[in-house]
């Protein structure tokens, strides 16, 4: 067999290496920031959830059809590493032109984000969910284009377990919890505990459990950038939740530590009667629950029903090389025509208020009444928090709250320690 010369092999290896590098660059979207091969301006969008790629791709394909001089490339960085990588890339000046942001204060304060109100104007801002606009407004400036909202928190119920306990779904909408007075919610949970391993998902769940209880007790998580959850109202809220676990009305805290899907899976397996959560779990429950289910209002507390309404927005890199192209992309994704793609198939609630009917209509067609996610927000809202160092503060709080739910630290002591830890972490 004829042998190839070593010099020829070296040349081939170099050529193959070059081809592989070019192919990898193209695949990862790392070609020239200015233009692609067709002379188009390339704008990069970073998100953390690959499930949203098809909806965004469909929306952006429509945008590119109307704007043939711009190409938008989507990069997915998984949530587990998203915040850390974002911090590094913003600091290093290598961040994408556009990126999902839910903890944005540090970047805004450092001058790394574009003023969205100035970029798109007041008419654009008036299209969006007021809660989302408030969430992304800091010091009077809007720092992100809202994309979708979770809606308020509600309760998914297993209709078969309710029937076994002799409970009508309509009863759920009249329930109240109160550590110092009539407590119809705990009474109902005790009835459900006779027919199910667990009645309810009291757990260290910041958005779906802790914030609604803190708010409906009359408390707040923050006042401006200052943490204020260590309060009599906080003791009432967290004391109530931990008592539900102690009474075996909810799964053991060892199984439901922050970030766990245990309670959601228990509900889908028919082991949990009531699952308090947001619209972000609706599609999965609709696809996987093997029993009849529905959605009800969450219980009212001493201060009524209070929920948070978290939103995801797109922030713009203030140092982008393509400000005009970025403006056009944001105008599209923040407008009715571009935003409604996120609502199709009932995926999520779009931030453009006029598009939210698309979401409602989809689920109405499936026989699902989603009104509790919207109705609860008319009764009261609690902000989900923010400010400099907020991500580090939440991490510090979380570890102490896990110990509190496990019963290793009394509630008053845990709240005091968590608040101190949050303040120290935010300032470091």
């Amino acid at each position: 067999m004829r042998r190839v010369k070593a010099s020829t092999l070296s040349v081939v290896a170099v050529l193959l290496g070059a081809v592989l590098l070019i192919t990898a660059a193209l695949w990862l979207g790392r070609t020239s920031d200015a233009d692609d091969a067709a002379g188009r301006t390339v704008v990069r969008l970073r998100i953390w959830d690959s499930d949203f790629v098809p909806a965004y791709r469909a929306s952006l394909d429509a945008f590119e059809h109307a704007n043939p001089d711009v190409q938008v490339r989507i990069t997915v960085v998984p949530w587990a590493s998203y915040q850390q990588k974002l911090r590094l890339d913003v600091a290093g000046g290598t961040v994408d032109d556009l990126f999902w942001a839910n903890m944005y204060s540090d970047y805004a304060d450092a001058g790394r984000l574009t003023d969205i109100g100035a970029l798109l104007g007041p008419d654009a801002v008036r299209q969006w969910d007021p809660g989302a606009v408030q969430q992304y407004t800091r010091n009077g400036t809007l720092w992100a284009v809202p994309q979708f909202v979770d809606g308020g928190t509600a309760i998914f119920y297993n209709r078969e377990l309710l029937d076994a306990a002799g409970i009508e779904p309509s009863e759920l909408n009249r329930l109240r919890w109160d550590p110092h007075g009539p407590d119809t919610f705990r009474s109902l949970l005790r009835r459900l505990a006779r027919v199910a391993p667990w009645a309810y998902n009291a757990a260290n769940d910041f958005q779906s459990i802790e914030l609604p209880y803190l708010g409906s007790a009359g408390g707040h998580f923050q006042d401006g950038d200052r943490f204020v959850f260590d309060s009599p109202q906080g003791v009432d809220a967290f004391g109530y939740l931990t008592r539900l676990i102690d009474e075996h009305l909810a799964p053991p805290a060892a199984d439901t530590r922050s970030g766990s899907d245990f309670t959601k899976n228990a509900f889908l397996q028919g082991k949990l009667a009531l699952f308090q959560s947001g619209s972000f779990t609706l599609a999965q429950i609709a696809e996987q629950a093997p029993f009849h289910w529905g959605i009800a209002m969450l219980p009212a507390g001493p201060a009524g029903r209070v929920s948070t309404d978290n939103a995801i927005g797109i922030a713009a890199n203030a140092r982008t090389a393509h400000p005009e192209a970025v403006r056009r992309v944001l105008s599209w994704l923040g407008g009715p025509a571009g935003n409604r793609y996120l609502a199709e198939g009932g995926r999520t609630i779009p931030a453009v208020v006029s598009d939210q009917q698309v979401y409602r209509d989809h689920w109405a067609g499936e026989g699902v009444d989603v009104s509790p996610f919207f109705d609860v927000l008319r009764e009261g809202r609690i902000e989900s928090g923010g400010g400099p160092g907020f991500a580090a503060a939440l991490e510090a709080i979380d570890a102490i709250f896990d110990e509190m739910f496990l019963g290793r630290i009394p509630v008053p002591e845990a709240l005091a320690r968590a608040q101190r830890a949050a303040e120290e972490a935010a300032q470091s």
Side-chain angles (χ1 to χ4, degrees):
M1 182 172 62
R2 186 177 179 181
R3 297 182 62 186
V4 181
K5 294 181 180 179
S7 59
T8 303
L9 285 172
S10 298
V11 172
V12 170
V14 169
L15 291 172
L16 284 173
V19 168
L20 288 171
L21 285 172
I22 293 170
T23 302
L26 289 169
W27 177 256
L28 294 172
R30 299 298 181 189
T31 55
S32 167
D33 280 342
D35 303 289
D36 72 353
R40 294 179 292 180
T41 298
V42 175
V43 173
R44 292 189 171 86
L45 167 65
R46 180 185 302 193
I47 65 176
W48 62 68
D49 190 341
S50 60
D51 288 346
F52 280 82
V53 171
Y56 269 120
R57 190 67 268 160
S59 178
L60 292 168
D61 284 348
F63 167 82
E64 291 174 4
H65 181 75
N67 296 266
D69 60 320
V70 178
Q71 183 183 57
V72 185
R73 295 178 181 167
I74 303 170
T75 300
V76 178
V77 176
W79 172 253
S81 59
Y82 189 90
Q83 301 296 348
Q84 180 181 13
K85 181 167 175 53
L86 185 63
R87 285 194 297 272
L88 293 173
D89 290 347
V90 170
T94 59
V95 72
D96 302 84
D97 304 285
L98 302 169
F99 49 91
W100 273 2
N102 60 344
M103 300 178 192
Y104 68 93
S105 300
D106 291 333
Y107 308 130
D109 291 353
R112 298 302 185 94
L113 304 183
T114 299
D115 179 339
I116 297 300
L119 184 69
L120 299 184
D123 288 341
V125 176
R126 283 191 284 268
Q127 301 176 100
W128 301 324
D129 184 282
V133 172
Q134 181 179 1
Q135 179 179 333
Y136 286 101
T137 298
R138 179 169 175 78
N139 298 325
T141 300
L142 181 63
W143 296 109
V145 173
Q147 287 295 278
F148 55 91
V149 299
D150 290 334
T153 302
I155 288 183
F156 294 90
Y157 60 83
N158 182 323
R159 179 60 192 264
E160 295 170 14
L161 292 177
L162 260 62
D163 288 345
I167 298 170
E168 288 295 324
S170 59
E171 290 185 50
L172 301 179
N173 295 320
R174 300 191 297 270
L175 296 173
R176 297 187 64 85
W177 73 270
D178 192 333
H180 307 296
D183 190 355
T184 56
F185 186 52
R186 181 183 272 107
S187 298
L188 179 132
L189 295 183
R190 288 172 178 158
R191 293 164 63 190
L192 287 169
R194 301 189 191 110
V195 299
W198 301 293
Y200 180 61
N201 62 316
N204 183 11
D205 183 329
F206 179 66
Q207 180 173 336
S208 296
I209 300 293
E210 291 164 355
L211 285 177
Y213 272 89
L214 181 60
S216 60
H220 300 275
F221 190 69
Q222 283 182 296
D223 180 3
D225 292 342
R226 187 168 59 93
F227 295 95
V228 295
F229 56 82
D230 178 20
S231 63
Q233 295 85 2
V235 172
D236 283 347
F238 289 96
Y240 188 87
L241 290 169
T242 54
R243 183 180 171 189
L244 294 181
I245 298 171
D246 292 342
E247 294 178 354
H248 306 291
L249 299 174
D255 294 327
T256 62
R257 288 172 180 263
S258 178
S260 169
D261 283 332
F262 182 90
T263 54
K264 179 177 66 178
N265 293 333
F267 180 76
L268 290 169
Q269 294 162 7
K271 298 177 181 179
L272 182 74
L274 304 180
F275 176 55
Q276 186 166 305
S277 187
S279 61
F280 45 86
T281 57
L282 174 55
Q284 186 175 359
I285 289 172
E287 292 169 2
Q288 299 182 19
F291 48 79
H292 296 294
W293 57 275
I295 306 171
M297 300 286 283
L298 52 73
R305 287 191 182 89
V306 180
S307 174
T308 188
D309 180 15
N310 191 47
I312 298 300
I314 294 178
N317 179 5
R319 301 181 182 181
T320 178
H322 322 296
E324 174 55 24
V326 162
R327 183 194 65 76
R328 287 154 61 191
V329 174
L330 285 177
S331 181
W332 171 260
L333 292 176
N339 195 229
R340 71 168 50 99
Y341 285 86
L342 300 182
E344 292 180 352
R347 175 176 301 279
T348 192
I349 303 172
V352 175
V353 175
S354 62
D355 283 343
Q356 292 180 354
Q357 194 60 43
V358 176
Y359 177 87
R360 289 174 175 262
D361 290 345
H362 169 82
W363 288 111
E366 298 292 324
V368 178
D369 179 11
V370 297
S371 60
F373 294 124
F374 296 88
D375 292 347
V376 69
L377 295 174
R378 291 198 288 268
E379 299 194 28
R381 299 191 188 207
I382 180 171
E383 293 186 14
S384 55
F390 187 70
L394 276 186
E395 187 174 347
I397 291 168
D398 201 40
I400 298 171
F401 276 13
D402 268 340
E403 294 297 297
M404 176 180 66
F405 276 89
L406 285 165
R408 295 172 181 168
I409 308 176
V411 170
E413 179 185 344
L415 294 183
R417 286 174 55 179
Q419 186 161 300
R420 287 195 302 269
E423 291 166 350
E424 292 170 2
Q427 294 167 7
S428 63

